[in-house]
Amino acid sequence: IWTGIQTITWTANDADGDVLTMDIQKGIDTGDGVNWEDISLGETNDGSYSWDTTTTIDSNSYLIRVMAFDGQLTSQDDSDTKFTVDNNPPDTSVLNPSIEPFNFDYYYINGIVKVKAFVIDEASGIDNIQFTMTDNDVNELSCIGLQDEIDNSLWSCEIDTKELSDSNGQTYDLVITITDNAGNAVTEFYSDWDYYFDIDNTPPTTSL
């Protein structure tokens, strides 16, 4: 997986001793062919080039082509295998976090709740998702999401709210931190959807 500045290396020689100039291209293998685009043209034949991969889109199907020109003739070689470029955090446009069970009339939760979210990363894939229930003060509990065996975009885990203090006027937020296999991370807050939660695991008391 390539991120940030990466070094492209090559070896090129000319039997006549001509000075070589190098053209470097990138391409994404779509399965129907490769559309090559220039990275740099007319480079000296010093054997390496530093490529800022943040200037290109994420993909898991990149190839590199290096072309040598001796003034009259050209030769070229392509990378042997496809590789991934991933400089961006996972796509959260499909993020749809939910909590079960959840009473939308009162915005309260108790006992063991299941938290779920849909998220994708088409380049390097998702490494892990952490769900955290927090009152943004001293009470906090996290769990690591498990990927659904059928729907790879669905991740979920269970939080036992009994391990947290009752709200007593202090609402809780659900924080979701998503990290892809390239180490890019993004954090989303359920409060961004204007949802806050009251935890209440203590039954009322009565006396006669």
Side-chain angles (χ1 to χ4, degrees), residues 22 39 42 52 67 76 85 108 126 134 137 139 156 158 167 201 204:
M22 313 300 297
I39 295 178
D52 183 2
M67 297 176 288
Q76 68 182 43
V85 171
Y108 75 81
I126 302 297
T134 177
D137 189 11
N139 294 292
S156 65
E158 293 183 342
S167 294
N201 288 291

Side-chain angles (χ1 to χ4, degrees), residues 25-27 29 34 36 61-65 79 81-83:
Q25 295 183 320
K26 63 180 180 180
D29 186 349
V34 180
W36 295 100
S61 300
Y62 268 99
L63 294 167
I64 293 294
R65 170 174 288 176
S79 50
T81 58
K82 294 181 289 186
F83 62 94

Side-chain angles (χ1 to χ4, degrees), residues 92-150:
T92 59
S93 63
V94 297
L95 187 66
N96 184 24
S98 63
I99 292 181
E100 299 174 354
F102 176 53
N103 188 321
F104 281 90
D105 291 330
Y106 300 100
Y107 296 90
Y108 75 81
I109 54 177
N110 56 25
I112 295 176
V113 295
K114 187 173 186 178
V115 290
K116 302 188 298 183
F118 291 89
V119 64
I120 58 174
D121 188 282
E122 294 181 349
S124 64
I126 302 297
D127 178 57
N128 68 82
I129 296 181
Q130 178 174 285
F131 298 86
T132 301
M133 188 69 68
T134 177
D135 66 357
N136 297 311
D137 189 11
V138 296
N139 294 292
E140 183 174 290
L141 185 63
S142 298
C143 65
I144 300 299
L146 298 177
Q147 190 174 30
D148 189 81
E149 295 181 356
I150 298 176

